[in-house]
Amino acid sequence: MNYINTIEDLFDMLDRYTEGVDWDGFYSKRDKPAPFLKYNKLPDKCIVDFIKVHNIKTACEFGCGEGRNAIYLAKNDIDTEAYDLSEVAIENAKRNARESKAEKVVFKAGNVFALDFVDKKFDLIIDSGIFHHLTPHRRLQYRNIVSNILAENGYFILVCFAAGEDGADEVDDYEFYRSKQTGVAFTEARLKDFWGEGFEVVELRKGEDIVGNEMWESEYLYICVFKKKGEMPLCL
């Protein structure tokens, strides 16, 4: 018999009403037209622009894929930790780091909700692909994790699907469970509402279709730069 005795029991139950993505298969088969596979060694333009004007010493990336952003940070003398759910992606990232001679980055495979970040603080946290795949109940948990490990006045850069573009559709949170979504898009208003309580909006804009020798960006994405305000109220 199944019982719900803790919040994690509840979250585990809700997870069963959603569909996950086989990320190891995704990175092994490479049969999807995802730009971050095609441009897997090019960092996001917003990351390149950001570190030109901010003094960042430590960074953490969630959903790092094959390491394009984390390697760029490391090569710019930033101590970086990078995580992804896919062990295949992490092995590819480690290989890319060796080839790039990026020494100041540590890659680890793991679920963000099971990682131990006790006593860790980062000047910068990057998410270039997790948030728009999270279930509504996990988004709340994720927001707390980001806030807890971000240093005072630290920055959070979020790149996610923009509603009305080609990446995904906007979906009501209740409908997310009914239709077993694997990814959703967000409006500017929704992003400000969700992140605005604990974070100052520094920049929030639609992406542009840009591919160069050193960076890339796509118009189906929102580019968000948030600055931590202070302690956020705890959520379940």
Side-chain angles (χ1 to χ4, degrees), residues 89-140:
I90 289 297
E91 288 306 310
N92 292 344
K94 290 178 179 178
R95 183 191 65 245
N96 290 336
R98 288 192 298 268
E99 293 175 353
S100 300
K101 295 181 171 55
E103 299 178 353
K104 303 191 75 170
V105 59
V106 175
F107 289 103
K108 294 182 181 179
N111 187 322
V112 63
F113 301 111
L115 296 173
D116 184 3
F117 289 110
V118 174
D119 297 327
K120 289 192 176 184
K121 293 288 183 180
F122 300 95
D123 299 326
L124 173 66
I125 297 175
I126 298 169
D127 174 346
S128 188
I130 282 187
F131 183 64
H132 50 226
H133 288 295
L134 291 179
T135 54
H137 60 283
R138 292 293 182 182
R139 289 179 208 148
L140 299 172

Side-chain angles (χ1 to χ4, degrees), residues 63-102:
C64 67
E66 295 176 318
R68 56 194 182 82
N69 286 322
I71 289 171
Y72 181 80
L73 294 173
K75 292 185 72 174
N76 280 273
D77 203 33
I78 298 172
D79 290 314
T80 305
E81 295 184 15
Y83 300 88
D84 199 280
L85 195 60
S86 169
E87 292 185 3
V88 173
I90 289 297
E91 288 306 310
N92 292 344
K94 290 178 179 178
R95 183 191 65 245
N96 290 336
R98 288 192 298 268
E99 293 175 353
S100 300
K101 295 181 171 55

Side-chain angles (χ1 to χ4, degrees), residues 24 29 37 51 54 59 66 72 95 101-102 125 158 174:
D24 277 340
K29 296 176 182 177
L37 288 180
I51 67 169
H54 291 86
E66 295 176 318
Y72 181 80
R95 183 191 65 245
K101 295 181 171 55
I125 297 175
L158 171 66
Y174 281 48

Side-chain angles (χ1 to χ4, degrees), residues 21-36:
V21 177
D22 176 14
W23 290 110
D24 277 340
F26 182 92
Y27 283 102
S28 296
K29 296 176 182 177
R30 311 185 78 83
D31 57 352
K32 305 294 184 184
F36 58 85

